[in-house]
């Protein structure tokens, strides 16, 4: 029910925001068309501007030969040397978005088939059950409704491990398989179980060791130290994950101070700390090399070990792979309606201009309170992150291009990009894959963990990059 209300609210708010702009704001008469058939990057309402009326930061950016983005309004210099401003659409309209949702699902088919095929081999060979035994003492406390040594425990460990290493392609199939396993134990098939909520909230918190893609983007934009953000990102995602665990544990009356839980959390914290200390000794190239060897090497080693285990157990390896791959195809197709519905609502919210109203309001509020408003420039990345990973990445790049990759705003947006997973995408895909309609308190828990992550990212950015301009 919560998901239905949020989905409806997105559409209603988007329509009202668009209607207000259409009636009261000059130049937005075509906003309905933009919301329906527009494409990301489309421009409109281009006009010359008087530089004497520009804010100093905008004028300085333009004089340095760079474009300046303020919400959906972009300032730049044309070929004739004139300073202009224009509206630039920041997302596809609902028609293109519906097609994109189907493309995303179809693009998942191959990846899902590959990883779920190998997972099927591992299950027949007993590998998943062995992994479940290893993590059983910890997971039996955090997921008390799951029988000891149930395969779901192994599936969840593989998902968390893939997330930790930034292996998005592997994390999704492992996560969906975990949801399927948990659904088998769920007595109310249309309502999220306690175990499913705990798993998905921990997954959405997005604990990540090395934010490889963010570091690579910072390097491409000539940051003086592209890896400077990985410690704030690591700390932020860890805090968000612990927050998610505490919130859900409180709701489910789980005692997180049990010795087993504390030992596992402290042990994981120690391993992560050692890894961070080691990575700090490496330069950008070293971090990239280490990350590539660790993440991609683990996938290959995993495949190798699974095949060896299957040979030892003398199972029909290829038949097991094909059976698992079929399940991957079925899931990828099954999530299409859920993905179309969620992405279309998000598209409407983004193209309606509602985000710009929120950002402008927050900037005005904090300025009136006399607070340091530098962090507001990074907030678009934080606000769009729960809705769309690619959009948040675009916001991050815009921020770094406008303010500089080494600026406070550029560094903050990079940390915010690595704070959590795309909450509403996760909800649509993972709950949709098992036909869950009643998500209970999961959305609220995820968004609260996101908020804690955002606040942590801002505080850490002031600590690490406070002297940057």
């Amino acid at each position: 029910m919560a998901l239905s209300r949020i989905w409806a609210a997105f559409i209603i708010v988007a329509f009202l925001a668009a209607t207000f702009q259409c009636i009261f704001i000059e130049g937005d008469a075509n906003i309905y068309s933009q919301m329906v058939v527009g494409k990301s990057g489309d421009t409109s309402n281009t006009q010359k501007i008087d530089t004497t009326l520009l804010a100093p930061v905008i004028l300085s950016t333009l004089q340095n030969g760079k474009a300046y983005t303020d919400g959906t309004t972009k300032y730049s210099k044309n070929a004739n040397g004139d300073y202009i401003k224009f509206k630039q659409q920041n997302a596809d309209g609902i028609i293109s978005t519906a097609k994109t949702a189907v493309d995303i699902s179809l693009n998942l088919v191959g990846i899902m088939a590959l990883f779920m095929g190998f997972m099927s081999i591992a299950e027949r060979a007993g590998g998943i059950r062995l992994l479940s035994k290893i993590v059983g003492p910890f997971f039996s406390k955090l997921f008390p409704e799951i029988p000891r040594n149930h395969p779901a425990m192994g599936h969840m460990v593989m998902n968390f491990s893939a997330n930790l290493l930034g292996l998005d392609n592997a994390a999704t199939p492992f996560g969906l398989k975990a949801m399927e396993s948990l659904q088998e134990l769920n007595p109310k098939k249309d309502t999220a179980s306690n175990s499913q909520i705990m798993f998905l909230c921990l997954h959405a918190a997005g604990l990540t060791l090395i934010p490889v893609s963010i570091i690579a983007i910072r390097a491409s934009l000539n940051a003086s130290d592209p890896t400077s953000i990985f410690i704030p990102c690591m700390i932020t995602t860890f805090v968000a994950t612990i927050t998610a665990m505490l919130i859900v544990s409180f709701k489910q009356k789980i005692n997180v101070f049990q010795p087993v839980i504390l030992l596992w959390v402290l042990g994981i914290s120690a391993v992560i700390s050692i890894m961070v200390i080691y990575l700090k000794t490496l330069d950008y190239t070293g971090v990239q090399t280490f990350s590539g060897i660790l993440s991609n090497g683990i996938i290959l080693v995993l495949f190798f070990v699974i095949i060896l285990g299957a040979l030892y157990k003398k199972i029909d390896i290829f038949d097991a792979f094909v059976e698992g791959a079929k399940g991957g195809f079925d899931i990828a197709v099954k999530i299409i309606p859920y993905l179309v519905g969620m992405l279309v609502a998000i598209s409407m919210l983004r193209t309606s201009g509602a985000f710009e109203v929120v950002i402008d309001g927050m900037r005005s509020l904090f300025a009136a309170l006399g607070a340091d408003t530098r962090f507001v420039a990074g907030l678009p990345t934080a606000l769009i992150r729960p809705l769309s990973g690619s959009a948040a990445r675009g916001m991050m790049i815009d921020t770094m291009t406008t303010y500089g990759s080494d600026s406070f705003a550029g560094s903050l947006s990079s940390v915010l990009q690595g704070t959590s997973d795309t909450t509403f995408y996760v909800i649509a895909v993972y709950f949709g894959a098992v036909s869950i309609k009643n998500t209970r308190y999961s959305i609220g828990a995820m968004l609260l963990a996101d908020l804690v992550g955002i606040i942590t990212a801002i505080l850490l950015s002031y600590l690490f990059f406070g002297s940057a301009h």
Side-chain angles (χ1 to χ4, degrees), residues 43-251:
T43 60
S44 61
N45 198 31
T46 301
Q47 53 189 283
K48 292 182 182 180
I49 51 178
D50 183 352
T51 55
T52 62
L53 301 178
L54 289 177
V57 64
I58 299 177
L59 182 59
S60 175
T61 302
L62 296 178
Q63 289 175 339
N64 288 330
K66 298 179 180 179
Y68 184 92
T69 302
D70 182 12
T72 58
T73 302
K74 196 160 189 174
Y75 299 82
S76 67
K77 192 176 184 179
N78 64 18
N80 297 326
D82 297 321
Y83 290 104
I84 60 172
K85 72 173 182 177
F86 53 89
K87 291 283 187 179
Q88 185 170 43
Q89 189 159 330
N90 56 19
D92 287 336
I94 60 177
I95 301 300
S96 294
T97 298
K99 295 177 181 177
T100 299
V102 176
D103 289 341
I104 291 173
S105 299
L106 294 180
N107 288 335
L108 275 175
V109 170
I111 297 169
M112 291 288 297
L114 172 66
F115 282 98
M116 293 190 73
F118 271 95
M119 196 176 296
S120 175
I121 298 173
E123 285 180 335
R124 289 199 192 181
I128 299 297
R129 195 166 296 278
L130 175 63
L131 190 59
S132 299
K133 288 181 180 179
I134 294 172
V135 299
F138 172 54
F139 273 22
S140 63
K141 303 297 183 183
L142 210 55
F143 298 88
E145 296 178 355
I146 302 178
R148 185 177 288 273
N149 301 331
H150 190 275
M153 294 184 177
H155 297 150
M156 288 189 290
V157 169
M158 295 178 77
N159 170 263
F160 294 145
S161 300
N163 263 341
L164 184 66
L165 297 171
L167 302 174
D168 295 337
N169 288 341
T172 299
F174 293 153
L176 291 173
K177 186 63 177 178
M179 285 295 282
E180 276 193 333
S181 299
L182 294 172
Q183 185 70 349
E184 294 173 3
L185 301 171
N186 187 3
K188 297 181 179 179
K189 299 303 181 183
D190 64 341
T191 301
S193 67
N194 286 346
S195 299
Q196 287 174 322
I197 293 174
M198 175 66 84
F199 164 65
L200 215 52
C201 287
L202 293 176
H203 168 84
L207 180 60
T208 305
L209 181 61
I210 310 174
V212 178
S213 62
I214 301 174
I215 291 174
I217 290 172
R218 286 176 56 78
S220 69
L221 294 176
N222 302 315
S224 60
D225 183 5
T227 62
S228 63
I229 52 88
F230 93 81
I231 289 182
C233 280
M234 178 71 255
I235 295 173
T236 299
T237 56
F238 184 75
V239 169
T241 301
I242 295 298
T243 299
M245 184 184 76
L246 293 175
I247 292 171
V248 179
S249 296
F250 174 77
K251 291 288 291 184

Side-chain angles (χ1 to χ4, degrees), residues 364-423:
S364 300
L365 173 62
F366 285 104
L369 295 174
D372 185 338
T373 59
R374 287 185 297 166
F375 75 92
V376 178
L379 285 184
T381 302
L383 293 180
I384 199 69
R385 178 67 177 160
L387 303 176
S388 170
S390 59
R393 189 180 304 112
M395 292 286 189
M396 176 188 69
I397 293 171
D398 275 345
T399 302
M400 286 194 285
T401 302
T402 300
Y403 296 95
S405 53
D406 290 323
S407 66
F408 177 81
S411 300
L412 171 59
S413 65
S414 299
V415 178
L416 288 169
Q417 173 66 7
T419 55
S420 63
D421 210 329
T422 47
T423 301

